Amino acid sequence: MNNSLLPHAPSMDEPLEMLEACHDRIEAQLKTLERLVPHLAAHGNDGQAQQAALAILRYFDRAGPNHHEDEEKDLFPTLRQRVSADDSEATQSLIDELLRDHAQMALALAAVRQQLHPLANGQPDGTLDAASVQRLATLYRQHIDKENQRLLPLARRTLSAADIATLSQHMTARRRQPD
């Protein structure tokens, strides 16, 4: 962690910090999504609503998949290999739980995404179901809490400098791929 008074934006050389910073960006998108529900009720699908819907879609269509791939293709398998015998069962269980979370979040996001597309495209009668938004936000927040409180501290204790460098390389390459 950085003890500076100035904000620190992690680089790709700090992959665990990048994953944690991504959680903050997800939270920002969730808050926008939650604010969009009452905004639509009060103002309809105006320009602000369209911009918000488009920004949320853009984030979850681009950054979101990269984040999950970082974990599923790189971090989780590496942790499974590196944990000690004493931590193995708990780590396997945690990773399995996080993978189930990813599947649930994908379903919840698909439901919200269907509602966001008409809004982003300017359809005047577009709506956003508050229950769907709340389900998505709850799933993501619970998941992020597990990762921040359990997964990332485990990774920081367990992964070697070489593991971190490999994770960094893979994350960088993933983001350099064309959309």
Side-chain angles (χ1 to χ4, degrees):
M1 270 308 178
N2 184 356
N3 290 328
S4 172
L5 292 175
L6 300 173
H8 171 73
S11 72
M12 285 302 208
D13 293 336
E14 304 167 294
L16 300 177
E17 289 73 15
M18 283 290 295
L19 292 171
E20 191 168 24
C22 187
H23 292 160
D24 294 338
R25 291 187 292 276
I26 292 168
E27 178 61 33
Q29 296 302 318
L30 294 174
K31 286 180 179 177
T32 300
L33 186 59
E34 289 170 325
R35 287 192 309 270
L36 186 53
V37 173
H39 180 92
L40 287 166
H43 306 283
N45 191 18
D46 62 3
Q48 285 187 41
Q50 290 172 38
Q51 288 177 358
L54 187 60
I56 294 164
L57 283 168
R58 190 177 306 122
Y59 183 83
F60 282 106
D61 288 346
R62 292 183 184 163
N66 282 339
H67 180 82
H68 285 189
E69 284 187 28
D70 293 340
E71 294 172 348
E72 293 175 9
K73 291 185 177 181
D74 297 306
L75 180 60
F76 294 170
T78 303
L79 274 174
R80 285 187 198 270
Q81 292 174 348
R82 298 291 183 262
V83 293
S84 68
D86 293 342
D87 290 331
S88 181
E89 190 173 320
T91 299
Q92 301 296 344
S93 178
L94 173 61
I95 291 171
D96 290 345
E97 183 179 347
L98 294 172
L99 288 168
R100 284 190 300 273
D101 288 354
H102 283 187
Q104 289 182 322
M105 292 179 328
L107 291 173
L109 181 57
V112 171
R113 184 181 274 122
Q114 283 184 321
Q115 298 170 49
L116 287 171
H117 276 290
L119 295 170
N121 291 328
Q123 291 183 3
D125 57 345
T127 61
L128 193 54
D129 176 57
S132 296
V133 168
Q134 193 55 54
R135 173 160 171 69
L136 179 67
T138 298
L139 288 170
Y140 261 99
R141 287 179 176 133
Q142 290 172 346
H143 179 79
I144 287 169
D145 187 58
K146 290 175 203 174
E147 289 188 352
N148 286 350
Q149 299 303 316
R150 297 167 54 198
L151 180 77
L152 292 175
L154 173 67
R156 287 182 177 108
R157 286 191 315 270
T158 306
L159 299 182
S160 68
D163 294 331
I164 296 293
T166 300
L167 185 59
S168 174
Q169 291 168 354
H170 292 183
M171 287 173 66
T172 300
R174 189 170 289 117
R175 282 153 183 79
R176 287 191 178 145
Q177 293 176 359
D179 289 336

